[in-house]
Amino acid sequence: MALARAAGRAGASAGLALLWLLVCAPGDAGCRLLSVADLFDRVIRHSGRIHSLSTALYAELEKRFPPRDNELGKPARKCHTSGMLTPNGKEYAQKIPREELTHLILKLLQAWKEPLSHFNQHIEHHQELPDDSLSKAKQISNMVHELKTGVEKVTEKMQSMGIISNSLNGMASSEATGLSISNEANMMSDSDFIHCFRRDSNKVQSYLKILKCRIMPENSC
């Protein structure tokens, strides 16, 4: 049974990876592989949807669970990804080598996979939250997994075209494992947790846009 479940998950991952590469559903007439520009557009749109969902969920959590009087004015908990060195602003991000910027995007996504899964399980016990909020939390967790798969496909495409080197292989998962299970993520309030994720999801989207522009300067962005 366990082997069957594992095989099912592996098959689902392979199917998801294939869909990231195709401009249509597998088997459709005229189906073709996406260009690197199309792949970038797809992951950027996906990251934008994640950021919009997290913004809406954060607003709902703030409304449902406003800070108590003794919490007002207190600084928010430090995000579990605060120890990661990330460039602030477009000017600094543009100076980072392409490989490092790609690596940073993958590290951020990897660092949130497990905390989001735990958060999704935890938030299901909030009877005060409407089904729509619970649905947003589940969507965010699933979509981050999908986005990481998509960025990995973009990375493979860039490597095959010689746009970036192959030095990234295996780096993101191994370096971000410790971050993904940190105590900081588990100890934060729900609204602080989503606030931190919302901040990082905005970084991911910005870095993807900057990376696309650096690889395809003809877009004049």
Side-chain angles (χ1 to χ4, degrees):
M1 182 67 71
L3 287 173
R5 283 197 297 267
R9 285 194 296 270
S13 297
L16 180 61
L18 178 63
L19 287 174
W20 274 110
L21 290 171
L22 297 174
V23 76
C24 56
D28 285 358
C31 208
R32 64 177 178 82
L33 291 177
L34 290 169
S35 67
V36 68
D38 290 333
L39 280 169
F40 263 113
D41 288 341
R42 188 171 282 196
V43 293
I44 288 169
R45 284 196 302 270
H46 202 69
S47 65
R49 288 192 288 268
I50 292 173
H51 183 63
S52 296
L53 275 174
S54 63
T55 298
L57 181 57
Y58 176 69
E60 291 166 12
L61 290 173
E62 284 279 277
K63 183 178 179 181
R64 293 274 175 174
F65 307 109
R68 294 185 293 269
D69 291 341
N70 61 343
E71 293 177 340
L72 293 172
K74 282 188 176 182
R77 281 191 191 277
K78 188 169 79 168
C79 301
H80 80 286
T81 54
S82 295
M84 293 175 62
L85 296 177
T86 56
N88 290 318
K90 183 177 180 180
E91 179 183 352
Y92 294 102
Q94 287 176 328
K95 296 177 180 178
I96 297 178
R98 296 168 178 173
E99 288 82 1
E100 289 184 26
L101 192 55
T102 306
H103 179 211
L104 181 55
I105 293 166
L106 288 168
K107 274 180 67 178
L108 280 169
L109 292 172
Q110 176 66 28
W112 278 103
K113 280 179 64 180
E114 190 170 334
L116 281 169
S117 178
H118 286 304
F119 176 76
N120 191 39
Q121 295 170 18
H122 152 74
I123 206 172
E124 286 179 350
H125 301 293
H126 272 312
Q127 297 181 352
E128 305 94 332
L129 284 175
D131 290 343
D132 185 55
S133 296
L134 300 178
S135 176
K136 285 186 177 71
K138 187 172 183 178
Q139 283 183 69
I140 288 169
S141 182
N142 291 338
M143 289 175 73
V144 166
H145 174 72
E146 293 167 358
L147 180 60
K148 184 171 181 288
T149 300
V151 174
E152 287 169 348
K153 294 298 109 183
V154 178
T155 302
E156 291 171 10
K157 187 83 168 179
M158 290 191 293
Q159 288 172 334
S160 69
M161 296 172 65
I163 296 172
I164 61 173
S165 70
N166 294 324
S167 61
L168 290 173
N169 294 341
M171 291 172 62
S173 295
S174 62
E175 291 189 16
T177 300
L179 288 167
S180 66
I181 57 175
S182 67
N183 289 329
E184 288 93 336
N186 295 328
M187 294 174 64
M188 283 188 286
S189 70
D190 294 337
S191 57
D192 280 348
F193 179 89
I194 292 299
H195 172 77
C196 287
F197 172 73
R198 179 172 166 266
R199 181 201 68 171
D200 283 350
S201 68
N202 186 52
K203 287 182 180 180
V204 167
Q205 185 181 22
S206 297
Y207 297 160
L208 283 170
K209 289 178 179 178
I210 290 168
L211 188 59
K212 180 191 174 185
C213 288
R214 291 182 58 189
I215 290 167
M216 287 162 282
E218 65 272 12
N219 292 310
S220 301
C221 47

